[in-house]
Amino acid sequence: MGRETKRVFSGVQPSGHLTLGNYLGAVRRWAAVDQHRSDALFCVVDLHALTVEHDPARLRRLSRQTATLLLASGLDPEVCTVFVQSHVDEHARLSFLLECVATDGEARRMVQYKEKVVRQQEQGNGVRLSLLTYPVLMAADILAYATDEVPVGEDQRQHVELARDVAERFNQRYGRTFVVPEATLATVGARVMNLQEPTSKMGKSDRSGQGVVRLLDEPEVVRRKVMRAVTDNGAGGQEVVYDRVARPGVANLLEILAACTGEEPAALAGKYTGYGPLKKDVAEAVVEVLRPVRERHAELCADPAQVDGVLRAGAERARERARPVVDAAYRAIGLLPPA
């Protein structure tokens, strides 16, 4: 819509403690690249955390912790906009309009919806309607800001495709209102796997926590988790080979080390003759990568008013960007403006 600078939007759900996977796969790139090359907005998407059973007090704590960790990871409020989703009413305002454009079939085809339904049922919980409709809320998150690019992991790409489909359909039916966004995918480090289950992503909601390195884990905890990481028993014994299919555990360690050092996983494999030295180097690399994040987080926690100020100003800036877009959507779809 005539902007010289691309607008980027991305968010992280406060459903658990941020992990090494969140950092290497997304947050570090937001800080190093995305906030500097664009008009960038980064959001703690707390409304999405309401789609499953949750403890209200814990959600508030995690929302604040997540925002603080984003700042500790290098997001600069003088350069980008950092805010909490529920602080900007336009997300909820637009979500219902998009529910009136998206279809039931589109929502039910979402892979994550199918997976989360099974998980909720296994835990004996009811399946909330919001679990079905939350990809439409995610589309509202994106479209409200006339977003050009959405940096996401591969597992979220389907949701960005839904946002594109809904935007195009709305524009065709009611006149051009929304920018049609593009998904941008990260490369090495984009999909850090669980250290105990290397064929599964390192997720915030892991129950045991033994396969997950959290950003606020103490160094000794990080070392212990990495040293206990599952490797692969094959014909090659402890031969270090980069093979995602045949050796997923070793491949995961090599990819983590590569993401920490900037080297290539296959090249790193040639430097090791056994799993022990590899694990030791991975552990130390992770500790050093996370050290400045943990130190900056402690500084911010000592000054909570600073974080409050950032989130307040961020919500104001986000609202200024979103309100004209959402108001235009209300007019386009046929709603009577307030007198």
Side-chain angles (χ1 to χ4, degrees):
M1 292 189 175
R3 291 194 308 266
E4 292 183 4
T5 303
K6 287 186 179 295
R7 182 163 293 165
V8 168
F9 175 93
S10 199
V12 60
Q13 188 176 150
S15 55
H17 300 280
L18 289 189
T19 72
L20 179 68
N22 297 126
Y23 181 71
L24 295 180
V27 177
R28 186 172 65 168
R29 172 180 161 167
W30 296 352
V33 178
D34 292 321
Q35 69 172 336
H36 298 290
R37 69 177 180 85
S38 60
D39 177 12
L41 300 100
F42 301 105
C43 181
V44 179
V45 287
D46 55 342
L47 293 176
H48 290 283
L50 305 182
T51 60
V52 296
E53 293 292 332
H54 68 280
D55 174 75
R58 182 173 185 267
L59 175 58
R60 282 190 289 271
R61 288 196 303 271
L62 286 174
S63 295
R64 185 175 187 83
Q65 183 189 90
T66 300
T68 305
L69 280 169
L70 292 181
L71 298 174
S73 298
L75 293 186
D76 184 347
E78 299 297 322
V79 175
C80 66
T81 301
V82 180
F83 67 106
V84 176
Q85 180 189 29
S86 63
H87 295 177
V88 180
D89 293 344
E90 277 63 32
H91 293 257
R93 286 182 62 208
L94 182 56
S95 184
F96 183 74
L97 263 62
L98 298 186
E99 286 184 18
C100 298
V101 177
T103 68
D104 177 78
E106 286 174 319
R108 293 186 187 278
R109 282 196 295 271
M110 295 292 110
V111 173
Q112 284 209 353
Y113 168 69
K114 297 175 183 178
E115 293 174 347
K116 289 183 177 181
V117 164
V118 171
R119 197 174 306 139
Q120 288 300 299
Q121 291 173 337
E122 288 176 346
Q123 295 172 6
N125 299 325
V127 178
R128 300 182 180 186
L129 178 61
S130 55
L131 196 60
L132 175 66
T133 60
Y134 97 90
V136 181
L137 175 57
M138 180 174 171
D141 299 337
I142 296 166
L143 300 181
Y145 297 100
T147 300
D148 298 295
E149 295 182 9
V150 187
V152 292
E154 183 63 43
D155 59 331
Q156 292 290 331
R157 187 170 190 167
Q158 189 183 29
H159 292 162
V160 180
E161 290 300 321
L162 176 65
R164 288 174 52 82
D165 292 343
V166 171
E168 289 172 346
R169 190 176 305 143
F170 192 104
N171 290 347
Q172 290 167 1
R173 289 181 182 175
Y174 306 115
R176 180 163 176 77
T177 306
F178 297 118
V179 171
V180 180
E182 298 282 348
T184 56
L185 301 177
T187 52
V188 172
R191 196 168 173 81
V192 177
M193 311 307 280
N194 190 294
L195 296 175
Q196 293 297 316
E197 301 175 34
T199 57
S200 300
K201 189 175 75 167
M202 185 182 286
K204 296 190 294 293
S205 57
D206 179 84
R207 293 181 186 177
S208 72
Q210 294 308 303
V212 175
V213 174
R214 299 186 174 99
L215 297 193
L216 295 179
D217 280 346
E218 294 289 340
E220 284 308 312
V221 174
V222 173
R223 293 185 181 100
R224 183 170 66 250
K225 289 180 178 179
V226 174
M227 295 305 293
R228 293 177 179 175
V230 169
T231 46
D232 315 293
N233 296 319
Q238 289 206 2
E239 181 184 6
V240 178
V241 177
Y242 180 58
D243 187 330
R244 281 183 171 181
V245 176
R247 300 286 186 87
V250 174
N252 187 38
L253 291 172
L254 289 167
E255 289 186 353
I256 292 171
L257 185 58
C260 291
T261 63
E263 299 183 60
E264 292 296 322
L268 286 168
K271 298 181 179 181
Y272 296 94
T273 57
Y275 296 160
L278 171 62
K279 287 182 175 181
K280 183 177 179 181
D281 284 358
V282 171
E284 294 308 316
V286 171
V287 166
E288 289 308 309
V289 161
L290 297 185
R291 188 184 304 280
V293 177
R294 294 179 63 253
E295 291 175 351
R296 179 58 177 151
H297 177 268
E299 293 172 1
L300 290 168
C301 286
D303 185 10
Q306 181 179 352
V307 177
D308 289 341
V310 168
L311 296 180
R312 190 181 309 113
E316 290 174 1
R317 287 200 300 271
R319 200 175 298 116
E320 290 172 358
R321 287 166 169 77
R323 184 162 292 168
V325 177
V326 177
D327 285 349
Y330 269 58
R331 291 192 299 270
I333 207 169
L335 297 177
L336 183 67

